[in-house]
Amino acid sequence: RPLVTMRNVSKSFSSGTLALSDMSLTVEGGEFVSLLGPSGCGKSTALRIISGLGDVTTGSIDWPSSRINSKGLPDGDISFVFQEPTLMPWQTVFGNVYLPLRLKGVSKADASDAITAALETVGLKDFAKAYPRELSGGMKMRVSIARALVTKPKLLLMDEPFAALDEITRQKLNDDVLRLWRETGITVIFVTHSVFESAYLSNRIVVMKARPGRVHADFPLQTSLERG
Ligand code: ADP
Ligand code: ADP
């Protein structure tokens, strides 16, 4: 079933830049899609629109109707992971992962099991009491992934999440993301400009081109990516 559908979306900024032109994309539940393309082709803009954080100039975006809040946006069902982990330095790992649930008004006691489960998924259960400054770059990124998972989203959007990390760390995190995709049934859209990374990770590659940004090629991959 389609999880999200962009229909003929165009997006122009007030600067006059036409970032996306007539872009259509349907992502089915359970897919692992890489969004690939040169810098400036509109990958981040497309991801923001899919998340509900960015609006469209023309065209439309559909999420499953059961999940729409009073503002017409998908609620808690979509999480974002950016290249910068942006953890709060004065909060422990536990406190950082709690944040999305705290913002929804869930008490710490009620959130505790979900936080522990999210930390377990990224292999950091024993680091709940640590502070971000005590963690390596790769571990901070894993906290950021745990924070994205704690609301049990249907769709995980990742915008060049590991681009700033060294090769070995990046490879480990790619394996972590694959494992969590297999174990949780989550749908992932992963922005990258690495062809290697997209082929390693996903079971569908959507290539975009620039000026104006739109889908240039869209193909399934026959990989060893199997669930279950
Ligand atoms: P990508 O993620 O593929 O590098 P972006 O989605 O970030 O591409 O950007 C697509 C185009 O839109 C680029 O030309 C970029 O400069 C422009 N752009 C992105 N965000 C803004 C903005 N907030 N205001 C004006 N132009 C923007
Ligand atoms: P990076 O990914 O930045 O290289 P890692 O995540 O590999 O960092 O971890 C850096 C160090 O932290 C490692 O040497 C490892 O011993 C320790 N570490 C990372 N994750 C865990 C964990 N789940 N349990 C125990 N130690 C860990």
Side-chain angles (χ1 to χ4, degrees):
R1 277 193 301 126
L3 194 64
V4 63
T5 304
M6 290 173 83
R7 277 184 234 282
N8 309 102
V9 167
S10 296
K11 171 74 182 177
S12 44
F13 290 103
S14 47
S15 60
T17 304
L18 182 61
L20 296 177
S21 174
D22 201 24
M23 175 164 172
S24 295
L25 180 69
T26 296
V27 173
E28 307 283 334
E31 284 190 304
F32 195 136
V33 179
S34 283
L35 202 52
L36 186 70
S39 191
C41 71
K43 302 183 294 295
S44 299
T45 302
L47 218 55
R48 265 202 309 282
I49 287 170
I50 289 170
S51 75
L53 292 172
D55 52 5
V56 303
T57 306
T58 61
S60 65
I61 172 111
D62 289 343
W63 301 280
S65 55
S66 59
R67 302 290 192 151
I68 299 297
N69 68 18
S70 58
K71 293 182 188 119
L73 296 173
D75 207 0
D77 250 10
I78 301 184
S79 288
F80 230 125
V81 173
F82 300 98
Q83 192 169 314
E84 281 295 316
T86 59
L87 304 179
M88 297 178 293
W90 60 88
Q91 289 274 4
T92 61
V93 165
F94 187 95
N96 272 284
V97 176
Y98 175 38
L99 182 71
L101 293 175
R102 187 172 138 201
L103 293 174
K104 285 167 159 283
V106 181
S107 75
K108 208 174 223 177
D110 287 343
S112 181
D113 286 352
I115 295 167
T116 303
L119 285 174
E120 201 158 17
T121 303
V122 298
L124 289 180
K125 192 164 61 91
D126 298 337
F127 289 80
K129 293 199 169 87
Y131 285 87
R133 65 174 173 277
E134 303 172 68
L135 306 179
S136 69
M139 291 163 90
K140 279 183 207 154
M141 180 50 76
R142 284 195 258 145
V143 175
S144 166
I145 294 171
R147 182 180 54 192
L149 295 176
V150 77
T151 52
K152 302 196 168 63
K154 281 238 153 69
L155 178 59
L156 181 62
L157 304 175
M158 307 186 84
D159 196 351
E160 295 196 52
F162 311 144
L165 300 171
D166 66 83
E167 242 353 274
I168 292 171
T169 304
R170 184 170 173 162
Q171 189 57 32
K172 276 197 278 184
L173 282 159
N174 280 341
D175 287 332
D176 284 345
V177 171
L178 271 183
R179 185 174 42 76
L180 89 87
W181 176 81
R182 286 198 181 96
E183 288 172 0
T184 63
I186 199 167
T187 308
V188 181
I189 305 179
F190 191 101
V191 166
T192 178
H193 47 230
S194 163
V195 175
F196 172 78
E197 196 167 55
S198 64
Y200 184 74
L201 284 174
S202 44
N203 52 20
R204 176 179 172 199
I205 297 183
V206 175
V207 185
M208 292 179 64
K209 67 183 183 104
R211 275 178 287 281
R214 59 160 52 126
V215 174
H216 180 55
D218 183 344
F219 45 95
L221 290 180
Q222 257 173 347
T223 67
S224 52
L225 263 197
E226 294 294 341
R227 269 177 165 148

